[in-house]
Amino acid sequence: MDDLNAWWAALAGLAIGVAVGFTTRRARLCSFGAIEDALVGSDTRRLRVFGLALGIALAGTQFLVLTGLLDPQATSYVPNALPWIGIAAGGVMFGLGMALVGTCAFGSCIRLGSGDLRSLVVLLVFGATAYAMLRGTLADYRIGFGEAWALAIPRSGQADLPALAEPVLGASSRALLAAVLAAILIAFAVTDARLRKARRLLAAGAVLGAGVIGGWLATQYLVDEFLQAARPQSLTFVAPVAITLHGLLLDGATLLNFGTGSIVGVILGAFAAARAGDEFRWEAFDDAREMKRHLLGAVLMGAGGVLCGGCTIGQGITAGSLMALSFPLAVGGMILGARLGIAFLVEGRALFFLPRRPSALRSRVAGGRRPRP
């Protein structure tokens, strides 16, 4: 029975992952690309799509909470104390690593399904670093730094926005905040005339948001809590990548879980989309310099992702759907880190507010090749 429940959760993750991977690859949706478009190119369309995904995920997740189908405190995103320094610093590290690689952990899974062998190397290094931070030789540093300075949450002891707003808005704070924030986020996307014509982008955002809701339901009701103690979880690509790598190397029984299923599903979905569009291409590193940049980026993403408790999907949408207080800290750090990386790699300056050096791009990016969005 234990194996049967684990199989159901893994299959649910696989199905959700396939849907998300297929639509995301078809739409060429990328979190780092969305940030770069908005900060450098003043094009917010892809960023609005992530707003759509968050709005849908937030509305559905808060419905589950209000109807008693999901307890936020049972998840890992709403603790009694908020390790704010670790979350913010980890977000910056993850964002910088994302810029060096040219995409996030989720994007690396999409690229791998499309034939990019660079992403295979990135995911191996990323997963190994994340596992070392979670349970290995770097865990003591994570606990000593990332979790040492935790801000205790007054009154409710619940690190989410509704708990903080309840003294002001009353018992209806959760429903009111969920309705207002979800409406703003969805309107942010659908009011853009150009984006309304991009049906693949809108479909990808809708499927991603629905996938987060499905993840909460799958891990809440397909896992027997008496046979397999597990917290409700949804789409995220930090700890699951680390646990999947550990399972592949040392303990195959641990592969039967929602996270591993979703990772495999995303890769398969992206592969199907690439093949359907005749876009599957084997790719590798151009030279040693590009490889070094990707390896450093993978290490930063692995360590930073564990410190901040998730990736652009795990914190940016899954934690955001719970209105967790970690969400603005982590996402703000990721955007800052990505901006620093863009300034260094693309604009040739150590900090984005310093003057540009046009010749730096040629000396730092081999072959004049920028990280792909």
Side-chain angles (χ1 to χ4, degrees):
M1 181 64 71
D2 190 7
D3 288 341
L4 181 60
N5 280 275
W7 270 107
W8 278 118
L11 289 173
L14 180 70
I16 292 171
V18 167
V20 170
F22 184 87
T23 54
T24 300
R25 177 63 182 77
R26 290 282 281 177
R28 297 184 180 275
L29 185 61
C30 170
S31 52
F32 173 70
I35 294 171
E36 185 179 29
D37 287 350
L39 294 180
V40 180
S42 300
D43 183 352
T44 61
R45 279 178 295 177
R46 286 199 285 183
L47 197 61
R48 288 171 186 266
V49 172
F50 281 101
L52 173 65
L54 176 56
I56 292 172
L58 192 152
T61 300
Q62 293 307 313
F63 175 80
L64 298 180
V65 174
L66 289 167
T67 54
L69 298 176
L70 176 66
D71 178 9
Q73 287 191 294
T75 73
S76 61
Y77 296 106
V78 187
N80 295 322
L82 187 69
W84 62 279
I85 292 180
I87 292 173
V92 174
M93 291 172 62
F94 189 93
L96 181 57
M98 183 168 59
L100 292 173
V101 171
T103 191
C104 62
F106 172 64
S108 295
C109 293
I110 297 291
R111 285 188 182 182
L112 178 58
S114 305
D116 192 334
L117 296 177
R118 295 171 299 182
S119 293
L120 176 61
V121 176
V122 167
L123 287 170
L124 290 174
V125 176
F126 169 80
T129 306
Y131 195 87
M133 289 288 290
L134 280 170
R135 302 175 184 174
T137 56
L138 300 178
D140 289 340
Y141 297 99
R142 170 182 58 81
I143 296 170
F145 170 74
E147 300 178 6
W149 296 283
L151 180 64
I153 306 301
R155 296 187 182 92
S156 67
Q158 187 168 314
D160 63 4
L161 185 58
L164 291 186
E166 187 171 351
V168 177
L169 300 178
S172 62
S173 62
R174 181 175 296 278
L176 180 60
L177 287 170
V180 171
L181 292 176
I184 291 173
L185 288 165
I186 294 172
F188 179 62
V190 299
T191 54
D192 188 290
R194 292 185 303 167
L195 185 56
R196 287 199 299 270
K197 299 177 182 178
R199 295 183 179 179
R200 286 185 179 180
L201 278 173
L202 291 175
V207 171
L208 182 56
V212 170
I213 302 168
W216 291 127
L217 286 171
T219 56
Q220 177 78 7
Y221 294 102
L222 294 181
V223 175
D224 191 330
E225 61 181 341
F226 293 102
L227 296 174
Q228 182 180 355
R231 288 185 169 189
Q233 67 178 99
S234 192
L235 294 177
T236 186
F237 295 88
V238 178
V241 172
I243 293 169
T244 299
L245 180 60
H246 174 266
L248 288 171
L249 295 175
L250 298 173
D251 187 3
T254 62
L255 294 175
L256 284 180
N257 61 79
F258 174 86
T260 296
S262 65
I263 291 167
V264 175
V266 166
I267 295 172
L268 291 177
F271 172 76
R275 295 290 293 182
D278 194 24
E279 296 171 339
F280 184 87
R281 301 288 185 275
W282 293 113
E283 295 188 56
F285 295 109
D286 286 342
D287 53 30
R289 179 171 295 188
E290 186 185 28
M291 184 174 184
K292 287 188 290 186
R293 189 180 71 240
H294 278 70
L295 293 178
L296 176 58
V299 170
L300 287 171
M301 283 201 300
V306 172
L307 280 175
C308 73
C311 58
T312 53
I313 305 300
Q315 278 290 353
I317 299 179
T318 300
S321 73
L322 292 169
M323 294 188 281
L325 297 182
S326 62
F327 162 75
L329 286 173
V331 173
M334 290 175 189
I335 293 174
L336 175 59
R339 187 65 185 90
L340 291 170
I342 292 169
F344 180 74
L345 284 171
V346 179
E347 300 170 356
R349 44 185 174 172
L351 298 172
F352 57 85
F353 49 81
L354 295 178
R356 300 190 184 198
R357 289 185 294 141
S359 62
L361 177 61
R362 292 192 298 271
S363 63
R364 288 198 173 97
V365 182
R369 184 171 180 175
R370 288 175 55 186
R372 292 190 310 170

